[in-house]
Amino acid sequence: MTALTPAPAAVALTSDLTQSELFAQIAGNASLSASFWINIALAGVAILLFVYMGRNVSDSRAKLIFVATMMVPLVSISSYTGLVSGLTVGVISVPYPGGGSEDVLIMWGRYLTWALSTPMILIALGLLAGTNLTKLFTAVVMDIGMCITGLAAALTTSSLLLRWFWYLLSCAFFVAVLYVLLVEWPTDAREAGTAEIFSTLKTLTVTLWLGYPIFWALGSEGLAILTTTQTSWAYSLLDVGAKYIFAFLLLRWVVANQNVIGNIAGGSLGSVSSAD
Ligand code: RET
């Protein structure tokens, strides 16, 4: 039983906390915990809803879009379980500009799991736009680059300058993703006959995704204008729109327009539809 009992929440924030102490820190902060639990609950509802919505999908491209989109709440529920259990959070000493440092709770699991969930969002969008393999590959690898360098920014403790250098590198990867989303795929979607829904999802995605680097910069891992709890809520709320609302709008359209999806030629990805 003692192994299951959390350590007292009053333990000070230091970089040598055990997993149970981290768990207790999180459990002791009702608002921070709620920012995690709300996503576990929403991801659970989304998974069940999407399985139900996809019950009659028969077109193979539509099925592939479903699988990619289903992965988003599946990764999310795993990601937030990692955060709430103290497994994927840690305390690091973030250096100050003038020397010295402050111990900050970081949610590094978020960046790690984004490297799995965001490519799924892009694969779903690319399939919807009927893009080719080159552009899909470009968007996905640039996106993974963005997440991993974002993780590096959050974990670097040796130098404040290098933390922000990682941040800039991550932004550079992000610009490539934005280019594909804003310039390449709208043209592809016009040809595929999916321009209208693509445009809605693109606007939702680009707007919400821009919030992540902004809140990183303002948050506890960046300029510390926001507290850890406020930063966590910002990410959690962005997640609600960028994952569940995005996925619902996409899948609802796919179910109703399987004939359009089935007719997408899709450049070098054309075989997706004909391989069945
Ligand atoms: C970081 C910090 C470094 C600079 C940039 C970032 C961008 C993050 C983005 C995250 C999107 C996450 C989503 C998750 C859904 O599961 C890593 C915050 C550019 C765009 C949509």
Side-chain angles (χ1 to χ4, degrees), residues 111 114 117-118 146 150 167 170-171 174 209 212-213 216 239 242-243:
Y111 312 104
W114 289 347
S117 61
T118 53
M146 173 189 85
Y167 177 86
S170 180
C171 288
F174 187 32
W209 284 35
Y212 291 82
W216 195 98
D239 273 5
K243 297 185 200 187

Side-chain angles (χ1 to χ4, degrees), residues 44-64:
V45 171
I47 292 162
L48 297 176
L49 176 68
F50 299 161
V51 168
Y52 177 74
M53 286 169 74
R55 70 197 179 285
N56 292 326
V57 172
S58 54
D59 174 75
S60 38
R61 181 180 289 258
K63 277 186 191 164
L64 194 50

Side-chain angles (χ1 to χ4, degrees), residues 56-136:
N56 292 326
V57 172
S58 54
D59 174 75
S60 38
R61 181 180 289 258
K63 277 186 191 164
L64 194 50
I65 295 179
F66 252 87
V67 175
T69 312
M70 282 286 305
M71 278 303 287
V72 177
L74 284 168
V75 171
S76 188
I77 203 165
S78 318
S79 172
Y80 280 100
T81 304
L83 293 173
V84 88
S85 62
L87 174 68
T88 57
V89 297
V91 177
I92 60 159
S93 303
V94 177
Y96 280 145
S101 65
E102 192 195 352
D103 285 335
V104 173
L105 182 80
I106 62 149
M107 300 163 278
W108 56 265
R110 284 190 186 273
Y111 312 104
L112 191 67
T113 52
W114 289 347
L116 297 170
S117 61
T118 53
M120 296 300 147
I121 294 174
L122 293 173
I123 289 171
L125 277 174
L127 288 168
L128 176 73
T131 192
N132 63 33
L133 194 55
T134 309
K135 291 183 203 172
L136 191 59

Side-chain angles (χ1 to χ4, degrees), residues 104 211 214-235:
V104 173
I214 293 174
F215 281 110
W216 195 98
L218 297 176
S220 44
E221 286 137 287
L223 301 170
I225 294 166
L226 302 175
T227 64
T228 302
T229 304
Q230 287 165 340
T231 314
S232 181
W233 267 108
Y235 286 143

